[in-house]
Short mmCIF file of all heavy atoms in Angstrom, two decimals:
data_model
loop_
_atom_site.label_atom_id
_atom_site.label_comp_id
_atom_site.label_asym_id
_atom_site.label_seq_id
_atom_site.Cartn_x
_atom_site.Cartn_y
_atom_site.Cartn_z
N THR N 200 102.52 81.80 106.09
CA THR N 200 102.62 80.69 107.03
C THR N 200 102.05 79.44 106.36
O THR N 200 101.45 79.51 105.28
CB THR N 200 101.80 80.97 108.31
OG1 THR N 200 100.42 81.09 107.96
CG2 THR N 200 102.26 82.24 109.02
N LYS N 201 102.20 78.29 107.03
CA LYS N 201 101.62 77.05 106.51
C LYS N 201 100.09 77.18 106.45
O LYS N 201 99.44 76.67 105.56
CB LYS N 201 102.01 75.86 107.38
CG LYS N 201 103.44 75.45 107.25
CD LYS N 201 103.75 74.26 108.13
CE LYS N 201 105.24 73.95 108.08
NZ LYS N 201 105.58 72.84 108.97
N GLU N 202 99.56 77.88 107.44
CA GLU N 202 98.11 78.09 107.54
C GLU N 202 97.57 79.01 106.44
O GLU N 202 96.46 78.86 105.97
CB GLU N 202 97.79 78.71 108.91
CG GLU N 202 96.71 78.01 109.66
CD GLU N 202 96.52 78.69 111.01
OE1 GLU N 202 97.50 79.06 111.68
OE2 GLU N 202 95.35 78.85 111.36
N CYS N 203 98.38 80.01 106.09
CA CYS N 203 97.96 81.03 105.13
C CYS N 203 99.17 81.36 104.24
O CYS N 203 100.02 82.16 104.61
CB CYS N 203 97.47 82.27 105.88
SG CYS N 203 96.76 83.51 104.81
N LEU N 204 99.21 80.74 103.07
CA LEU N 204 100.40 80.78 102.22
C LEU N 204 100.82 82.17 101.77
O LEU N 204 102.01 82.45 101.67
CB LEU N 204 100.21 79.86 101.01
CG LEU N 204 100.03 78.38 101.35
CD1 LEU N 204 99.79 77.57 100.09
CD2 LEU N 204 101.23 77.84 102.11
N ASP N 205 99.85 83.04 101.45
CA ASP N 205 100.24 84.37 100.97
C ASP N 205 100.18 85.44 102.06
O ASP N 205 100.53 86.59 101.83
CB ASP N 205 99.41 84.80 99.76
CG ASP N 205 97.95 85.09 100.09
OD1 ASP N 205 97.50 84.80 101.21
OD2 ASP N 205 97.25 85.60 99.19
N GLY N 206 99.74 85.07 103.26
CA GLY N 206 99.69 86.02 104.37
C GLY N 206 98.45 86.88 104.42
O GLY N 206 98.34 87.76 105.27
N TYR N 207 97.52 86.63 103.50
CA TYR N 207 96.26 87.39 103.47
C TYR N 207 95.10 86.41 103.68
O TYR N 207 95.15 85.27 103.25
CB TYR N 207 96.06 88.09 102.13
CG TYR N 207 97.00 89.24 101.87
CD1 TYR N 207 98.09 89.10 101.03
CD2 TYR N 207 96.78 90.49 102.46
CE1 TYR N 207 98.94 90.17 100.77
CE2 TYR N 207 97.62 91.56 102.21
CZ TYR N 207 98.71 91.39 101.36
OH TYR N 207 99.53 92.45 101.12
N HIS N 208 94.04 86.90 104.33
CA HIS N 208 92.85 86.08 104.52
C HIS N 208 91.62 86.97 104.59
O HIS N 208 91.48 87.78 105.50
CB HIS N 208 92.99 85.27 105.82
CG HIS N 208 91.89 84.28 106.00
ND1 HIS N 208 90.72 84.59 106.63
CD2 HIS N 208 91.78 83.00 105.60
CE1 HIS N 208 89.93 83.54 106.63
NE2 HIS N 208 90.55 82.55 106.01
N GLY N 209 90.76 86.87 103.59
CA GLY N 209 89.55 87.68 103.56
C GLY N 209 89.80 89.03 102.91
O GLY N 209 90.90 89.34 102.46
N ARG N 210 88.74 89.84 102.89
CA ARG N 210 88.81 91.17 102.29
C ARG N 210 88.06 92.17 103.15
O ARG N 210 87.20 91.80 103.94
CB ARG N 210 88.22 91.16 100.88
CG ARG N 210 89.02 90.28 99.93
CD ARG N 210 88.62 90.49 98.50
NE ARG N 210 89.30 89.56 97.64
CZ ARG N 210 90.41 89.83 96.98
NH1 ARG N 210 90.97 91.01 97.05
NH2 ARG N 210 90.99 88.92 96.22
N ILE N 211 88.40 93.42 102.95
CA ILE N 211 87.73 94.52 103.65
C ILE N 211 87.67 95.71 102.69
O ILE N 211 88.49 95.82 101.79
CB ILE N 211 88.47 94.89 104.96
CG1 ILE N 211 87.61 95.83 105.83
CG2 ILE N 211 89.85 95.48 104.68
CD1 ILE N 211 88.13 96.00 107.24
N GLY N 212 86.71 96.58 102.89
CA GLY N 212 86.57 97.73 102.01
C GLY N 212 87.40 98.91 102.47
O GLY N 212 87.62 99.11 103.67
N ILE N 213 87.86 99.68 101.50
CA ILE N 213 88.39 101.02 101.76
C ILE N 213 87.41 101.96 101.06
O ILE N 213 86.89 101.64 100.00
CB ILE N 213 89.85 101.22 101.30
CG1 ILE N 213 90.03 100.92 99.82
CG2 ILE N 213 90.78 100.39 102.16
CD1 ILE N 213 91.39 101.28 99.27
N TYR N 214 87.14 103.09 101.67
CA TYR N 214 86.03 103.94 101.22
C TYR N 214 86.41 105.41 101.13
O TYR N 214 87.32 105.86 101.81
CB TYR N 214 84.86 103.84 102.21
CG TYR N 214 84.42 102.43 102.49
CD1 TYR N 214 84.91 101.73 103.59
CD2 TYR N 214 83.52 101.79 101.65
CE1 TYR N 214 84.51 100.43 103.84
CE2 TYR N 214 83.12 100.49 101.89
CZ TYR N 214 83.62 99.82 102.99
OH TYR N 214 83.22 98.52 103.23
N GLU N 215 85.63 106.12 100.33
CA GLU N 215 85.60 107.58 100.41
C GLU N 215 84.13 107.98 100.29
O GLU N 215 83.37 107.39 99.52
CB GLU N 215 86.49 108.25 99.36
CG GLU N 215 86.09 108.11 97.93
CD GLU N 215 87.12 108.75 96.99
OE1 GLU N 215 88.33 108.71 97.28
OE2 GLU N 215 86.69 109.28 95.97
N VAL N 216 83.76 108.95 101.10
CA VAL N 216 82.37 109.39 101.16
C VAL N 216 82.32 110.87 100.81
O VAL N 216 82.86 111.70 101.54
CB VAL N 216 81.78 109.15 102.57
CG1 VAL N 216 80.34 109.63 102.63
CG2 VAL N 216 81.89 107.68 102.96
N LEU N 217 81.69 111.17 99.69
CA LEU N 217 81.56 112.54 99.22
C LEU N 217 80.15 113.03 99.57
O LEU N 217 79.17 112.54 99.01
CB LEU N 217 81.80 112.61 97.71
CG LEU N 217 81.98 113.99 97.09
CD1 LEU N 217 82.70 113.87 95.76
CD2 LEU N 217 80.72 114.76 96.91
N THR N 218 80.06 113.94 100.50
CA THR N 218 78.78 114.53 100.88
C THR N 218 78.47 115.67 99.91
O THR N 218 79.31 116.54 99.67
CB THR N 218 78.84 115.08 102.32
OG1 THR N 218 79.22 114.00 103.19
CG2 THR N 218 77.51 115.65 102.75
N VAL N 219 77.27 115.64 99.35
CA VAL N 219 76.88 116.66 98.38
C VAL N 219 76.27 117.84 99.15
O VAL N 219 75.07 117.91 99.39
CB VAL N 219 75.90 116.08 97.33
CG1 VAL N 219 75.54 117.14 96.30
CG2 VAL N 219 76.51 114.87 96.65
N ASN N 220 77.15 118.76 99.52
CA ASN N 220 76.73 119.96 100.25
C ASN N 220 76.54 121.12 99.26
O ASN N 220 76.61 120.91 98.04
CB ASN N 220 77.74 120.31 101.34
CG ASN N 220 79.13 120.52 100.78
OD1 ASN N 220 79.31 120.86 99.61
ND2 ASN N 220 80.14 120.32 101.61
N GLU N 221 76.35 122.30 99.76
CA GLU N 221 76.06 123.45 98.88
C GLU N 221 77.19 123.76 97.90
O GLU N 221 76.94 124.05 96.74
CB GLU N 221 75.72 124.70 99.71
CG GLU N 221 74.37 124.63 100.40
CD GLU N 221 73.20 124.30 99.47
OE1 GLU N 221 73.10 124.91 98.38
OE2 GLU N 221 72.40 123.41 99.82
N THR N 222 78.44 123.70 98.36
CA THR N 222 79.55 124.01 97.45
C THR N 222 79.68 122.95 96.35
O THR N 222 79.96 123.28 95.20
CB THR N 222 80.89 124.16 98.19
OG1 THR N 222 81.13 122.99 98.96
CG2 THR N 222 80.89 125.38 99.09
N ILE N 223 79.45 121.70 96.70
CA ILE N 223 79.50 120.63 95.71
C ILE N 223 78.33 120.77 94.73
O ILE N 223 78.49 120.59 93.52
CB ILE N 223 79.50 119.24 96.38
CG1 ILE N 223 80.72 119.08 97.30
CG2 ILE N 223 79.43 118.12 95.34
CD1 ILE N 223 82.08 119.15 96.64
N LYS N 224 77.16 121.13 95.24
CA LYS N 224 75.99 121.35 94.37
C LYS N 224 76.28 122.44 93.33
O LYS N 224 75.93 122.30 92.16
CB LYS N 224 74.76 121.74 95.20
CG LYS N 224 74.17 120.58 95.97
CD LYS N 224 72.98 121.03 96.79
CE LYS N 224 72.45 119.84 97.58
NZ LYS N 224 71.20 120.11 98.26
#
């Protein structure tokens, strides 16, 4: 749009959370 030329504004995280449980240990 005229307001936002590329259609993106700001950033946000994408995540993965690996819990270190007994099998991972």
Side-chain angles (χ1 to χ4, degrees):
T200 63
K201 288 181 185 177
E202 230 178 318
C203 186
L204 298 177
D205 69 351
Y207 290 103
H208 187 271
R210 295 192 186 264
I211 192 168
I213 57 172
Y214 306 96
E215 67 184 35
V216 179
L217 192 159
T218 303
V219 182
N220 58 24
E221 289 307 314
T222 55
I223 300 298
K224 287 179 182 188

